[in-house]
Amino acid sequence: MSRTRRARRIQRVLAQTYPYAVAELDFDDAWQLLVATVLSAQTTDIRVNAVTPGLFAAYPGPRELAEAPAEDVQEMVRSLGFYRSKARSIQALAARVVDEYDGAVPGTLEQLVTLPGVGRKTANVVLGNAFGVPGITVDTHFGRLARRLGWSTQDDPVKVEADVAALFPPALWTELSHELIYHGRRICHSRRPACGVCPVADLCPSYGEGPTDPEAARTLLGYELKPGREDLLAGFMAGRTRRQLRAEGHTLSA
């Protein structure tokens, strides 16, 4: 089987496994997604989602954030770690968006990557999820799975992005990013992938890096696939949003 054909078969299986896969950061518009993605560096989306409601309530837009006292912004993001540098980054980001783009988040990769704290990965997240512009988000999970699945041999994220982009039509890039990241967080872990319950095990050249016994592998599952969280999985499969599920009392952590 050719690499392209196998890659697309894997994607179809992942799409069936995670039909609810979306960006795991909560946001209402491009500005909120941009800030949340910058804040997510070296922390979890769950922690960011706990902080951003208060941050956006206090500073609804880039102008308010740019003009806020630095100490107040630092205190609001303190729980995320590196809070001083993160506060500086999002305030510098806000100031640039106000000064150069009249408070509106720019909608091209070339413009986004010039903003403070915004690299190619963050830009692709915003483009794909807020503007509908196809993009591949190569985070640590995506890069790891791209190598395990034989889609790339590269470590550099830009080279991984180019290798994977060559295997799929642009219309699938954003969806694929979500699916691969979901799979990396839930099943294909960095140290002990749950190979024995992996839906693409028969297509994976790295099968066997983790436990192949289904019972042993099942104990490694995370998030909504974790044993005992069947109600949460059913909620996702029924189309409920992350906010709705939290309101119903579900914990969305691993």
Side-chain angles (χ1 to χ4, degrees):
M1 187 183 302
S2 72
R3 185 172 65 155
T4 298
R5 183 182 173 196
R6 182 165 55 83
R8 294 186 183 185
R9 282 187 61 184
I10 289 171
Q11 187 276 328
R12 288 194 292 271
V13 174
L14 293 180
Q16 294 170 354
T17 305
Y18 310 107
Y20 48 89
V22 295
E24 295 190 87
L25 290 167
D26 294 336
F27 68 97
D28 293 322
D29 53 36
W31 169 246
Q32 290 188 3
L33 178 58
L34 180 60
V35 172
T37 306
V38 170
L39 290 175
S40 69
Q42 297 179 292
T43 190
T44 66
D45 291 351
I46 291 168
R47 287 185 177 179
V48 175
N49 288 338
V51 164
T52 49
L55 181 70
F56 296 140
Y59 314 115
R63 190 173 302 278
E64 293 87 350
L65 182 58
E67 297 174 352
E71 296 80 6
D72 293 351
V73 179
Q74 289 175 15
E75 191 57 35
M76 297 199 79
V77 302
R78 178 183 289 270
S79 64
L80 301 179
F82 305 99
Y83 66 95
R84 290 189 180 89
S85 63
K86 288 189 176 184
R88 282 195 300 270
S89 289
I90 62 174
Q91 287 200 280
L93 172 64
R96 183 79 68 82
V97 169
V98 170
D99 293 343
E100 295 190 12
Y101 299 102
D102 197 28
V105 176
T108 70
L109 180 69
E110 294 74 19
Q111 292 170 319
L112 284 167
V113 296
T114 68
L115 298 175
V118 179
R120 190 178 182 91
K121 182 186 78 171
T122 295
N124 277 332
V125 169
V126 174
L127 289 172
N129 295 283
F131 291 102
V133 177
I136 293 174
T137 303
V138 184
D139 70 352
T140 56
H141 300 290
F142 191 103
R144 179 178 73 252
L145 268 66
R147 288 183 289 274
R148 276 186 178 162
L149 294 170
W151 298 354
S152 177
T153 60
Q154 303 294 329
D155 292 316
D156 179 79
V158 176
K159 293 179 179 178
V160 172
E161 180 184 339
D163 286 344
V164 176
L167 300 173
F168 297 93
L172 288 176
W173 289 353
T174 301
E175 175 188 345
L176 174 69
S177 298
H178 296 318
E179 291 158 358
L180 227 60
I181 291 169
Y182 268 54
H183 193 57
R185 288 176 172 170
R186 288 151 177 79
I187 294 178
C188 196
H189 310 299
S190 59
R191 294 186 178 179
R192 297 189 72 207
C195 293
V197 290
C198 178
V200 296
D202 60 333
L203 296 167
C204 180
S206 301
Y207 175 73
E209 285 193 14
T212 58
D213 175 70
E215 291 304 315
R218 194 168 290 112
T219 65
L220 301 174
L221 295 173
Y223 295 89
E224 70 280 356
L225 300 186
K226 191 173 184 178
R229 307 191 82 179
E230 290 78 12
D231 287 347
L232 176 57
L233 177 58
F236 274 121
M237 296 296 278
R240 292 189 181 88
T241 66
R242 300 175 63 80
R243 287 173 174 168
Q244 289 172 331
L245 290 166
R246 280 197 297 270
E248 293 172 9
H250 292 286
T251 301
L252 305 186
S253 62

